[in-house]
Amino acid sequence: MAVPKRKMSRSNTRHRRARWKATTPQLVPVTIEGTVHQVPQRLVKAYQRGLLHPED
């Protein structure tokens, strides 16, 4: 794990944190038991296999 050698200034810390943005998951239409649901792309196989159930 990377460990900083020196203390990072408050302005640098806040500048780094301000640039981070969360992105919304890409939703994909999937047919489950005859109904079409929008699910995140990374979870499509789990929904198809029945490991996850969509909330309606």
Side-chain angles (χ1 to χ4, degrees):
M1 184 174 151
V3 178
K5 290 190 175 212
R6 294 171 197 248
K7 183 176 181 180
M8 193 175 208
S9 70
R10 179 180 287 178
S11 64
N12 281 346
T13 301
R14 289 182 177 166
H15 180 72
R16 176 177 43 82
R17 287 180 181 165
R19 292 180 56 87
W20 185 86
K21 299 283 187 277
T23 58
T24 57
Q26 182 180 357
L27 298 179
V28 178
V30 175
T31 304
I32 303 169
E33 297 175 359
T35 58
V36 178
H37 298 279
Q38 294 284 338
V39 298
Q41 185 177 6
R42 60 188 294 259
L43 298 176
V44 169
K45 286 194 176 185
Y47 280 102
Q48 290 173 342
R49 293 176 181 167
L51 301 173
L52 296 173
H53 301 287
E55 323 283 326
D56 286 321

